[in-house]
């Protein structure tokens, strides 16, 4: 196993003498500059043993030529089963750069866990979704999937295409999906796709800075009805048009998840009032197996939360923002 956190360029001579001969099976790298690409290129001898790879690009100015080189190496990692790529805050990342990466993933037939993070990559458009869709359709044996699309240029059309590919993942057990600046049209399609994933045990859905309403909440509530094996649930909605009616819809369905042991709910900068939280806490008290709960609720009074404390052994972390 190799973990590297380098901020300066790495000398090729040193790598050739020390790392290139190691038969590694797990590599973690934070790529802060182009010199770190040399690490991956010199670890070709591990391509038959490497099963897990994590690369974090950390907002660097990464040229597409280097991405193409990286993609050429990734597609030769035949034994890779767990891949995590973080393309966060990459202002120069474009659709063609994503294409290089996703085309390389098509060659990885043993992937069971895939994590792709495109948070704050504002130059990406709906076209970047197409490559991800192809990968999901090719790798139907995935058991873990994490997708973060936080771009101002990715709209409902791309998200709808993504939702169609999610339906093919019949073995999926853990799903994380984070979206931004979409409407009810896109989010309801995602919820409909999630409803078909009956094998899910862990689900995390975050929708932020989006023009969504209670319609989305009702679609997610409907999806939860099919996910009877869920043990962990994390839902977050920031800066949306959700009201008490939406919270009521989803909390009623959550209360029916009899296997749920861990729950995290985040309602920040929404239209949810004390009344909505009152009903939410009432419904959560019905969960017999719940051992961990995290709530982030803004603009709610402390009185209602104190009134709904229970005798159960819940680990509660309530983060409250006072009304201004």
């Amino acid at each position: 196993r190799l973990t590297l956190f380098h901020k300066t360029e790495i000398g090729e001579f040193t790598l050739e003498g020390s790392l290139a001969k190691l038969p590694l099976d797990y590599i973690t790298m934070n790529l802060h500059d182009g010199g770190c690409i040399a690490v991956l290129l010199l670890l070709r001898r591990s391509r038959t043993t490497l099963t897990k790879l994590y690369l974090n690009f950390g907002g660097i100015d990464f040229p597409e030529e280097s991405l193409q080189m990286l993609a050429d190496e990734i597609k030769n990692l035949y034994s890779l089963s767990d891949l995590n790529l973080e393309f966060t805050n990459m202002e120069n990342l474009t659709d063609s750069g994503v294409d290089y990466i996703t085309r390389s993933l098509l060659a990885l037939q043993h992937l069971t866990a895939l994590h792709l993070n495109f948070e704050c990559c504002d130059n990406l458009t709906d076209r970047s979704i197409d490559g991800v869709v192809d990968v999901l359709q090719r790798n139907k044996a995935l058991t873990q999937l994490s997708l973060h699309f936080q771009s101002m240029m990715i709209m409902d059309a791309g998200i709808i295409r993504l939702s169609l590919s999610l339906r093919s993942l019949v073995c999926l057990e853990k799903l994380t999906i984070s979206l931004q600046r979409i409407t009810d049209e896109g989010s309801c399609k995602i919820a409909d796709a999630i409803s078909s994933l009956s094998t899910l045990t862990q689900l995390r859905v975050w929708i932020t800075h989006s023009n969504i309403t209670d319609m989305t909440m009702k679609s997610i509530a409907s999806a939860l009805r099919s996910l009877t094996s869920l043990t962990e649930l994390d839902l977050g909605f920031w800066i949306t048009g959700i009201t008490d009616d939406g919270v009521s819809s989803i909390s009623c369905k959550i209360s029916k998840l009899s296997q749920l042991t861990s729950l995290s709910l985040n309602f920040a900068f929404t239209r949810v009032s004390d009344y909505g939280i009152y009903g939410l806490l009432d419904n959560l008290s019905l969960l017999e197996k719940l051992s961990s709960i995290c709530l982030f609720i803004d603009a709610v009074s402390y009185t209602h939360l104190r009134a709904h404390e229970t005798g159960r052994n819940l680990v509660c972390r309530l983060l409250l923002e006072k009304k201004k």
Side-chain angles (χ1 to χ4, degrees), residues 2-16:
L2 171 66
T3 301
L4 295 176
F5 299 92
H6 285 284
K7 294 186 177 181
T8 58
E9 189 152 345
I10 300 174
E12 185 171 325
F13 176 79
T14 303
L15 287 171
E16 184 66 39

Side-chain angles (χ1 to χ4, degrees), residues 243-312:
T243 70
D244 292 342
D245 188 33
V247 172
S248 176
S249 297
I250 208 163
S251 63
C252 286
K253 291 298 184 293
I254 290 175
S255 67
K256 303 294 194 302
L257 298 174
S258 59
Q259 302 303 311
L260 204 64
T261 60
S262 177
L263 175 65
S264 177
L265 296 175
N266 194 314
F267 299 101
F269 307 104
T270 63
R271 299 176 184 176
V272 179
S273 69
D274 284 357
Y275 178 79
I277 301 305
Y278 184 95
L280 169 67
L281 295 174
D282 256 357
N283 283 321
L284 296 188
S285 67
L286 301 175
L287 294 168
E288 296 290 341
K289 292 186 177 182
L290 196 64
S291 60
S292 175
I293 180 171
C294 175
L295 302 180
F296 187 108
I297 308 163
D298 70 337
V300 61
S301 71
Y302 183 61
T303 304
H304 279 148
L305 293 172
R306 283 295 301 271
H308 286 77
E309 288 181 358
T310 68
R312 289 187 173 86

Side-chain angles (χ1 to χ4, degrees), residues 106-125:
L106 294 175
L108 304 179
Q109 299 299 311
H110 301 290
L111 273 186
T112 57
L114 177 61
H115 314 270
L116 298 175
N117 190 339
F118 299 101
E119 187 172 351
C120 299
C121 297
D122 292 339
N123 286 325
L124 298 184
T125 70

Side-chain angles (χ1 to χ4, degrees), residues 174-225:
K174 300 178 181 180
L175 173 63
T176 295
I177 187 163
S178 177
L179 306 171
Q180 178 179 308
R181 302 187 189 282
I182 61 174
T183 70
D184 285 327
E185 183 181 10
S187 57
C188 287
K189 289 294 184 182
I190 289 292
D192 288 343
I194 291 174
S195 68
S196 67
L197 304 175
S198 59
T199 55
L200 282 181
T201 59
Q202 297 181 23
L203 175 64
R204 184 175 188 266
V205 178
W206 275 65
I207 302 176
T208 63
H209 300 83
S210 295
N211 186 25
I212 62 171
T213 65
D214 292 336
M215 182 183 300
T216 291
M217 299 294 282
K218 291 176 181 179
S219 293
I220 294 176
S222 179
L224 292 178
R225 185 171 53 188

Side-chain angles (χ1 to χ4, degrees), residues 48-49 84 103 131 137-138 142 215 231 255-256 319 324:
T48 59
T49 58
N84 189 334
R103 281 200 298 267
Q137 291 176 340
R138 181 72 64 89
L142 283 174
M215 182 183 300
T231 59
S255 67
K256 303 294 194 302
L319 304 178
K324 293 185 178 180

